[in-house]
Amino acid sequence: MQGWLPSTPGLTNHVDRVVGLWTTSWIVLLAVGVIVWFLMLWAAVVYRRRKGQIGLPAQLRYNMPIEIFFTTVPVILVLGFFAFTARDQAAIEQPIEDPDVQITVYGKRWAWDFVYERDGQDSVYYESIQALNVPGSMEIDEDTIPTLYLPSNSSVEITLESRDVAHSFWIVEFLYKKDMLPGVTNYMYFETGDVEGVFTGKCAELCGEYHSMMLFNVEIVPPEEYQDYLDELEAQGNVGHPDSDLNPLQPTWGPEGTDNEELGN
């Protein structure tokens, strides 16, 4: 029913829209495919060479109604897909005038910084390092994957910035991603629903050697738990806004006892 898409109905106000566009498109295209396969099989059987026939059949033959049909139907399909896609994309990209939550996300080789804006208070932030492997293993150390927190039943505006090269902010289960380009500010708008839990995020734009390690999680929690997390960041001293000119290749932060080479940043 969801076209095998990795999401949950109602996760955001856009998920059901994307699922509907995807599954309807596949139903239409599957119907077109069945018709085309039938016509190919029918032509191969009806116009096959029969016993006793020699030479080549006529190589040029015109049937104007069929020619018109074969031209107009694909054009109608393309226009229809374009119209529905443009309609849904316009709805997804519609700005939210007064969002409940405003977050700035910085992409950097090969990690993420999250800045949480607060009404009437200084913003708080979380700076992450690149996800690391478990020593002596190819498995990812889950403790090194940063988490972006979002409150449930809230409208959200995410400002997307890049510190260096082109990245792409992709929350897999949200079924939408957005480019992060140097010198360009992009935005994502959505509303979370009643669904809570941990979801998968990653960079979807090849950005260098450790692109595959540029991971993050998204955790949707009750609004009061979200506020508790912001208070925790404040208690840790992560108040204000991290330097937007920070060079990710020369971090001044990291786990105690590690250096830049070990961080892979």
Side-chain angles (χ1 to χ4, degrees):
M1 294 297 293
Q2 291 185 205
W4 292 279
L5 292 175
S7 189
T8 302
L11 181 57
T12 73
N13 61 321
H14 299 319
V15 162
D16 292 353
R17 182 186 299 275
V18 175
V19 170
L21 178 65
W22 175 262
T23 53
T24 302
S25 299
W26 268 109
I27 290 171
V28 173
L29 292 172
L30 181 60
V32 172
V34 170
I35 293 172
V36 171
W37 297 328
F38 169 77
L39 291 175
M40 291 171 61
L41 182 62
W42 177 79
V45 172
V46 172
Y47 297 106
R48 71 189 186 280
R49 180 187 292 274
R50 290 173 171 78
K51 186 177 181 179
Q53 287 182 332
I54 58 174
L56 292 174
Q59 298 299 292
L60 293 175
R61 186 177 298 170
Y62 293 95
N63 186 312
M64 192 57 66
I66 292 180
E67 296 286 347
I68 294 174
F69 177 78
F70 284 167
T71 302
T72 56
V73 169
V75 169
I76 292 172
L77 286 172
V78 170
L79 291 176
F81 286 131
F82 176 83
F84 286 112
T85 301
R87 178 202 66 183
D88 289 348
Q89 186 167 343
I92 292 172
E93 292 292 333
Q94 182 65 33
I96 298 175
E97 286 191 12
D98 188 21
D100 300 322
V101 175
Q102 291 179 292
I103 301 172
T104 299
V105 175
Y106 288 98
K108 60 188 183 183
R109 294 179 295 181
W110 288 272
W112 309 86
D113 293 340
F114 307 129
V115 183
Y116 301 88
E117 306 295 342
R118 300 187 295 176
D119 291 335
Q121 296 178 276
D122 290 334
S123 60
V124 292
Y125 63 87
Y126 175 82
E127 289 183 298
S128 74
I129 64 172
Q130 170 196 318
L132 302 175
N133 286 45
V134 176
S137 168
M138 293 299 293
E139 296 181 3
I140 299 293
D141 182 354
E142 298 291 335
D143 292 336
T144 64
I145 299 178
T147 297
L148 172 66
Y149 284 84
L150 297 173
S152 59
N153 295 304
S154 303
S155 57
V156 181
E157 176 188 280
I158 296 183
T159 302
L160 300 173
E161 304 275 5
S162 171
R163 292 199 187 280
D164 38 49
V165 300
H167 301 286
S168 186
F169 181 76
W170 183 24
I171 304 175
V172 176
E173 290 87 352
F174 285 15
L175 307 182
Y176 204 67
K177 56 189 174 183
K178 203 73 174 284
D179 284 347
M180 310 171 80
L181 304 172
V184 176
T185 300
N186 280 334
Y187 298 89
M188 284 183 68
Y189 309 94
F190 56 88
E191 296 176 7
T192 56
D194 294 322
V195 181
E196 298 176 357
V198 180
F199 306 95
T200 304
K202 59 181 68 178
C203 177
E205 182 75 26
L206 183 60
C207 56
E209 183 178 5
Y210 295 101
H211 162 70
S212 63
M213 307 287 280
M214 193 169 170
L215 308 172
F216 66 100
N217 292 324
V218 175
E219 186 166 354
I220 300 179
V221 298
E224 56 274 13
E225 188 173 331
Y226 173 78
Q227 186 58 51
D228 289 342
Y229 175 70
L230 300 192
D231 293 341
E232 180 182 334
L233 290 177
E234 182 179 20
Q236 294 171 359
N238 295 346
V239 179
H241 208 285
D243 184 2
S244 60
D245 295 326
L246 176 67
N247 180 357
L249 299 179
Q250 298 176 343
T252 57
W253 35 261
E256 185 177 354
T258 61
D259 57 31
N260 295 347
E261 274 189 32
E262 291 173 330
L263 289 175
N265 286 324

